[in-house]
Structures are given as C-alpha cells and as structure tokens.
Amino acid sequence: MAQAVTFDRYGDIGVLDVREVPDPQPGPGRVAVDVVAAGINPGESKIRTGALHERWPATFPSGEGTDFAGRIAALGEGVGGVAVGDEVLGFSEERSSHATRVVVPAEQITPKPTALSWEVAGSLYVAGTTAFAAARAVSPATGDTIAVSGAAGGVGAVVVQLLRERGVTVIGIAGPGNQEYLRELGAVPVVYGDGLADRLRALAPGGIDAFIDTYGTGYVELALELGVKPDRIDTIADFAAVEKYGVKAEGNAAANTIDVLAELADLAAAGTLRIPIAATYPLTAVRDAFTELERGHTRGKIVLLP
C-alpha cells in the first residue's frame, strides 16, 4: 500500500488526511516514481479552500501536489530511455504528488542532476516554471530596471535570479526582514508599505521598464502609476487586474514543459540558481506544513519528505 494526501470537501487545513491507498501502477507510456521529496505551493491551499473553483475545480475525493522528485519504481508498456531505480524529478498534472508513490506520463520526468539535493529537486517545478514564464513575459533586456513584488517568496526569489542572469537591475519589494536576503540575490531591496511609489521613483530616477507582481493586492495599479506599459507588466496573483487593465498573466501554464524544468534543474545544480529550503516535514505532518505556508512569510520552499 502507498500513502497519499487527500481531502473530501473544500475547507481549511483540517480537511487534509493522509490515507492508505493501493500502490498506483503505470499504464502504457507512464512511470511510477517512489517520491523522496515533494514541494508544497500556495496554489494548493487556494484549490483546497475552493478559492480557485472557477479556474481549477476539484473532484472529490481529491489528491494534491504537483512537484516531486524520487526514484523510478516501475515502467509502463512502451517506456524507454529510463530504468527502474533512476533518480528523476518531474511534475504531476493530476494533483497526486503528495504521496509515497506517483504515476505520471514518462514525458513529465527528467533525470535529477547528481549535485541537486532531493529537497530542491522536489520543489522546483511550480515555482521555477512560474518564475521562468513571468520573467520571459516582460521581455527583459540587459540594462533594464525591473521591479518585483513578493521578491523574497518562492517564486519571486527565482524571478530575481533569472532577471539578474540577463543583466537586469532588479528592485525587489519585500518586508524589512528580507532586505539583506535580496541583496545576496543581487537585487536592490525596498520595503513595501506606505510611500512605496516614492521609494521606487527614488531608486529608479530613469523609470522602471517592467514590473512582475508575484503578490497581488494593488501592485498592478502601482506599476501603472509608475508609468510601466501594460504589455510589460505580468502578474501571477491578481487576475482581476488582468481583465481590468489588459496586463499579462503568464505563469506556470506558459512554461510547463519538461525542457524548462531540466534547464532550471541544471542551473540549480550548478549553483547559478539558489532555491532555499525553509522547512521539511514528513508526509504525515502535511497539516503542519500548510500551517507554516499559510502564515505567508516563509522564505524559500517547504517540502514534504514521504
């Protein structure tokens, strides 16, 4: 038997259970992976509460989880190029990675670089591909100045690093406790709150070329107030602003390919991309993991270790 996180109705953290389920077996073209690490993400909380029902409705009983890394346990008919025991990372589009075993199409896994830790490998997909798409969406060019809200978060910190690799001056918006961390990532830090527009103008007297919003709650309006053109504003959090102002909303769905994940894994293994791990929890402590995540001030990724 395997174990999997499930929930039978929308609700708070209390609806999450870890249940025994039959070991999932791979059909044709699919692989079974024994999960070593699986990251958790804010979107999973919103799906569980029903906040995203219109976009991504749940069917009950529902599993959860997208990111994972582990060892191949079994191969379905027609799968080649990999073997049982291979170390891989990948993603599930079936809300099933928060488990001891996951089954996915073979094209949704890629070899885990030896130098990449299990914790980083198992938490790279959602945050990494979302950041990749958001950075690409605003057409960054060497010499640009780009502001990033939520810059110390799981997605924001990756955005900062990807932009810095392209020769961009990044102004990172975050709380007081994350200013030094953003400096370490190569950003120019600025504290959010009252007077932020003036602080941004002072830091970028030549203007801000683009804005990436990973937080929501008014940052799109701030970007427009600062004179950023709508086609160079991307938000992964404020979908109402997308409809109202015509800004971009490119995130994970715009870069959810195994090639992008493999590129990000290589960058992380080489040390070019830093993915801090905030905390790890056993699968049975999934409620504790989401309690920490939902406090909203975690620096880096929270990872389940089945």
Side-chain angles (χ1 to χ4, degrees):
M1 299 289 283
Q3 290 185 313
V5 177
T6 63
F7 58 101
D8 293 325
R9 66 187 187 280
Y10 290 133
D12 62 16
I13 290 166
V15 304
L16 293 175
D17 286 315
V18 179
R19 298 174 181 167
E20 285 201 342
V21 297
D23 274 339
Q25 299 301 317
R30 295 167 70 88
V31 297
V33 177
D34 285 336
V35 179
V36 175
I40 69 174
N41 296 284
E44 289 148 4
S45 294
K46 294 176 181 178
I47 288 172
R48 188 199 69 237
T49 64
L52 295 178
H53 178 77
E54 295 302 318
R55 282 178 165 265
W56 297 297
T59 301
F60 302 113
S62 177
E64 69 167 20
T66 301
D67 300 345
F68 69 87
R71 298 180 180 90
I72 294 179
L75 304 177
E77 182 182 352
V79 175
V82 292
V84 171
D86 284 357
E87 297 182 352
V88 298
L89 68 155
F91 61 95
S92 167
E93 295 182 326
E94 300 164 4
R95 299 178 188 166
S96 60
S97 73
H98 293 171
T100 55
R101 179 174 289 189
V102 62
V103 172
V104 297
E107 60 267 22
Q108 290 174 204
I109 60 168
T110 189
K112 183 184 83 68
T114 303
L116 192 63
S117 74
W118 284 111
E119 293 83 359
V120 171
S123 60
L124 187 57
Y125 172 72
V126 169
T129 58
T130 301
F132 186 96
R136 182 177 61 188
V138 299
S139 303
T142 300
D144 278 351
T145 296
I146 299 178
V148 179
S149 68
V155 174
V158 179
V159 168
V160 168
Q161 294 174 81
L162 293 176
L163 292 175
R164 289 294 298 138
E165 281 297 300
R166 300 191 187 195
V168 169
T169 296
V170 181
I171 301 177
I173 302 165
N178 282 314
Q179 302 294 289
E180 184 55 37
Y181 171 57
L182 289 178
R183 289 190 187 93
E184 292 173 6
L185 296 182
V188 178
V190 62
V191 177
Y192 57 65
D194 292 343
L196 176 58
D198 290 336
R199 291 193 291 278
L200 288 170
R201 290 188 184 100
L203 288 170
I208 292 174
D209 298 293
F211 200 111
I212 296 173
D213 169 35
T214 75
Y215 191 82
T217 65
Y219 280 110
V220 169
E221 286 83 356
L222 173 62
L224 292 167
E225 177 188 340
L226 292 168
V228 183
K229 296 178 180 178
D231 65 354
R232 298 202 71 190
I233 299 171
D234 189 76
T235 179
I236 64 167
D238 192 346
F239 301 117
V242 175
E243 302 223 352
K244 186 174 182 180
Y245 301 111
V247 300
K248 293 181 176 180
E250 295 186 20
N252 167 260
N256 61 344
T257 72
I258 202 64
D259 290 339
V260 170
L261 180 58
E263 179 180 341
L264 293 166
D266 286 341
L267 289 172
T272 303
L273 183 62
R274 173 180 170 186
I275 310 290
I277 302 300
T280 60
Y281 290 86
L283 190 70
T284 52
V286 63
R287 293 183 183 182
D288 294 333
F290 275 98
T291 296
E292 178 165 344
L293 177 77
E294 291 173 21
R295 292 190 182 107
H297 294 286
T298 303
R299 179 192 297 173
K301 297 296 299 181
I302 297 173
V303 186
L304 298 174
L305 301 177

